[in-house]
Amino acid sequence: MSSYLQFEHVSKFFPGVVALDDVCFAADKGRVHGLLGENGAGKSTLLKILGGQYRPDAGRLLIDGQERRFQSAADAINAGVAVIHQELQYVPDLSVTENILLGRLPRKYGFVDRHAARSFVVTRLNALGVELDPDATLDSLSIAQRQMVEICKALMQGAQVIAFDEPTSSLSHRETEVLFKIIRDLRASGHTLIYISHRLEELYALCDSCSIFRDGKHIATHPVMVSVSQETLIHDMVGRELSDIYNYQARSIGEPRLSVKNLSGSKIEQAQSFEVHAGEVLGLFGLVGAGRTELVRLLYGADRRKVDGEVRIDGALIPANNIAAAIASGMVLCPEDRKEQGILPQASITENINISSRRHGLKAGFFLAHQDEAERAEHFIQQLKIKTPDRHQIISLLSGGNQQKVILARWLAQKDLKVLILDEPTRGIDVGAKNDIYHIIFEVAKLGCCVIVVSSELPEVLGISDRILVMREGQISGELKREDASEAAVLKLALPDYV
């Protein structure tokens, strides 16, 4: 008996890039099939073919024994396919109800029946165990809540084939548990499920089988997930051994470089004070909603509302609500939401890397130094191992991990970098790219820069930090030195009811 979902010799080409090369693999009904691989390995391209956004240049897709050639995402949805992409697809000004039922809103007498739409969504959300305000607009929700909206939208389309691309990358622990229950229920009801994640513990918890991709090629399929070791999976993915993904590098820690005193704002109501030393990697941990992102945005000047307290770098006061002043003082932020706040999506890699530092290199004060910018882009493409055919590639065509590296390159290109803030720098990034980014963090710290890493992944915080600040309910609840930090110690500070 053939598998319900089959990819036969599928290839996809872009200018200068072979995204998929003669890929063959299959997934069965009533099973969760994991897809693993580094960023740029071809996983997301495969899902876009499945979801009708791309058409294969060779090979074919079969669903329940029938060949399918989708011309649009609507074709795939009508054929019972739902794909939940890592880069969320939503309309920010519309409500949760409108986003979930987009294109399928019920009508009465020719007009949208908003009461019926809301009632239907509320009933389904309750059945799924998801807590969302059906009337809230998407731009008022957190990234985690927007992610859950996308998941609910796919489930309410009645799909038989559902693919998840890094679905937990922005979810809280409770939301992740809800998602896992939903996936297990779908498996029990006979759905065919594809699950992409860089979190190996999730794959072992959910997947029955898995396939490995590398450089657009299918490397291996393991029919029984629990029988394959993590070492084997990582070797298949990256083609080399990674004995210690964090590879912590001790270094000398200098005097306080960043000083924060009594800082508060609209979303951080209680005054917060802390210091970060030259050469130090400070981990900032907390559960989703603890206020980590709000604190670093306040620190950076990105929160434009009333701010109290002071921020100093090397003793010099940084004006509040002034990102330009923060950058000029040597402080930069790589934001959590790289799609909305980090990249210039239709600009090239060269432009994205140079957009901030070009103010230092204008010829005669007016003209771009094209040769200097080209050399700078080529330097960082090589140094950060950015996978791209060339520096002219539009950044939106890169994988999420490589987009993240481009944003990092933009700030590493700054003159006199003193404070580097990274908000979820490895969210949705593969194990090999994580290893590269950790190496960069330590190299920057060795130069005397202080690095603040915001992360919801506790092993990551424990693995790379010299010191950890823990946040809970909008304030710093405690501090731990590296030698005193453990999962239990951190969670005790992060959870008010931790036992």
Side-chain angles (χ1 to χ4, degrees):
M1 182 177 177
S2 61
S3 298
Y4 189 78
L5 174 66
Q6 297 171 272
F7 290 87
E8 294 186 350
H9 305 288
V10 171
S11 296
K12 181 64 181 177
F13 311 108
F14 296 104
V17 178
V18 180
L20 293 172
D21 186 3
D22 195 36
V23 167
C24 298
F25 91 95
D28 299 322
K29 295 183 69 172
R31 290 172 66 83
V32 182
H33 191 88
L35 293 186
L36 295 83
E38 293 189 276
N39 292 100
K43 308 181 303 298
S44 294
T45 300
L46 191 79
L47 291 198
K48 287 179 179 178
I49 289 174
L50 176 63
Q53 292 173 278
Y54 292 162
R55 280 156 290 289
D57 295 312
R60 59 182 192 155
L61 165 67
L62 291 89
I63 298 177
D64 198 16
Q66 295 186 345
E67 183 175 355
R68 298 283 188 171
R69 292 187 175 274
F70 301 139
Q71 299 302 308
S72 66
D75 285 351
I77 292 170
N78 293 333
V81 175
V83 178
I84 302 162
H85 295 284
Q86 181 182 353
E87 301 296 345
L88 304 181
Q89 312 292 321
Y90 57 85
V91 183
D93 296 332
L94 296 184
S95 69
V96 168
T97 296
E98 291 166 322
N99 270 276
I100 287 177
L101 295 179
L102 196 61
R104 302 181 297 118
L105 286 163
R107 294 182 175 273
K108 188 175 182 180
Y109 306 123
F111 298 96
V112 172
D113 189 339
R114 298 190 180 280
H115 176 75
R118 187 182 189 280
S119 178
F120 173 79
V121 168
V122 168
T123 300
R124 294 302 303 273
L125 289 176
N126 290 337
L128 292 171
V130 176
E131 296 179 3
L132 285 170
D133 179 357
D135 302 316
T137 58
L138 268 285
D139 58 5
S140 70
L141 302 182
S142 68
I143 293 178
Q145 290 170 319
R146 296 174 198 174
Q147 184 92 327
M148 192 57 74
V149 170
E150 285 294 290
I151 292 168
C152 292
K153 178 166 66 177
L155 296 178
M156 292 185 197
Q157 290 170 346
Q160 291 302 305
V161 177
I162 305 177
F164 299 86
D165 190 357
E166 294 287 348
T168 66
S169 60
S170 299
L171 300 187
S172 68
H173 178 69
R174 184 196 171 280
E175 289 166 327
T176 298
E177 288 184 335
V178 170
L179 174 64
F180 282 11
K181 182 182 183 302
I182 290 170
I183 290 175
R184 290 178 177 126
D185 289 345
L186 289 169
R187 174 171 56 190
S189 62
H191 287 73
T192 302
L193 305 168
I194 302 294
Y195 193 89
I196 294 178
S197 178
H198 295 305
R199 297 175 176 175
L200 296 182
E201 67 276 9
E202 290 184 5
L203 295 164
Y204 281 105
L206 284 177
C207 296
D208 303 290
S209 55
C210 71
S211 293
I212 316 294
F213 285 68
R214 186 169 72 239
D215 297 330
K217 297 181 179 180
H218 172 246
I219 300 300
T221 288
H222 299 284
V224 182
M225 184 74 196
V226 294
S227 68
V228 58
S229 69
Q230 288 194 20
E231 291 75 15
T232 298
L233 293 179
I234 292 173
H235 183 272
D236 285 347
M237 281 191 288
V238 303
R240 64 187 191 277
E241 301 294 339
L242 287 179
S243 56
D244 179 5
I245 184 176
Y246 305 112
N247 192 26
Y248 174 79
Q249 300 172 24
R251 74 210 81 82
S252 60
I253 306 298
E255 295 298 314
R257 167 151 269 188
L258 172 68
S259 175
V260 180
K261 291 185 178 180
N262 300 319
L263 184 67
S264 65
S266 58
K267 296 183 179 179
I268 303 294
E269 297 179 356
Q270 297 193 32
Q272 306 298 306
S273 300
F274 61 94
E275 292 181 332
V276 191
H277 295 247
E280 182 180 30
V281 177
L282 178 74
L284 188 58
F285 179 78
L287 305 179
V288 172
R292 303 159 304 164
T293 294
E294 290 79 6
L295 179 61
V296 296
R297 285 178 60 81
L298 192 65
L299 172 67
Y300 186 56
D303 189 337
R304 297 290 183 174
R305 285 161 285 195
K306 185 177 183 294
V307 177
D308 291 319
E310 62 179 41
V311 177
R312 294 179 182 271
I313 298 178
D314 291 340
L317 182 66
I318 311 301
N321 306 118
N322 193 326
I323 294 176
I327 294 173
S329 300
M331 182 194 303
V332 299
L333 167 68
C334 292
E336 176 186 20
D337 190 344
R338 59 176 169 258
K339 179 182 178 183
E340 295 293 334
Q341 301 170 355
I343 65 172
L344 303 174
Q346 298 308 312
S348 68
I349 293 173
T350 299
E351 291 170 297
N352 270 275
I353 289 176
N354 287 284
I355 189 66
S356 182
S357 59
R358 63 177 29 153
R359 69 188 189 280
H360 298 302
L362 293 175
K363 292 183 177 180
F366 297 99
F367 303 103
L368 296 180
H370 292 291
Q371 185 60 36
D372 291 344
E373 292 194 356
E375 291 175 359
R376 187 179 297 117
E378 292 290 356
H379 168 74
F380 283 110
I381 287 170
Q382 295 300 319
Q383 184 185 38
L384 304 190
K385 303 176 184 176
I386 298 170
K387 291 184 178 179
T388 177
D390 55 54
R391 62 181 179 83
H392 303 292
Q393 180 76 301
I394 301 299
I395 192 173
S396 59
L397 298 179
L398 300 184
S399 67
N402 285 297
Q403 290 179 13
Q404 189 79 321
K405 289 182 179 182
V406 172
I407 298 170
L408 193 53
R410 176 191 305 160
W411 296 129
L412 294 179
Q414 292 294 297
K415 291 184 177 180
D416 199 21
L417 182 61
K418 296 177 181 178
V419 180
L420 174 62
I421 306 172
L422 304 172
D423 193 353
E424 298 286 4
T426 64
R427 180 171 67 88
I429 291 179
D430 64 80
V431 65
K434 284 182 178 181
N435 186 252
D436 294 338
I437 287 176
Y438 299 146
H439 177 74
I440 293 164
I441 288 172
F442 294 133
E443 289 299 308
V444 170
K446 285 179 183 178
L447 297 175
C449 180
C450 55
V451 184
I452 301 175
V453 179
V454 178
S455 178
S456 55
E457 292 193 31
L458 185 48
E460 177 173 81
V461 172
L462 293 170
I464 67 173
S465 303
D466 300 301
R467 185 165 52 98
I468 300 171
L469 294 183
V470 183
M471 293 195 69
R472 183 179 71 222
E473 298 175 351
Q475 59 184 313
I476 296 170
S477 57
E479 173 185 326
L480 294 165
K481 295 180 180 179
R482 180 177 179 83
E483 56 269 24
D484 300 325
S486 65
E487 289 197 12
V490 173
L491 289 174
K492 187 174 182 179
L493 294 170
L495 297 169
D497 55 350
Y498 180 81
V499 179

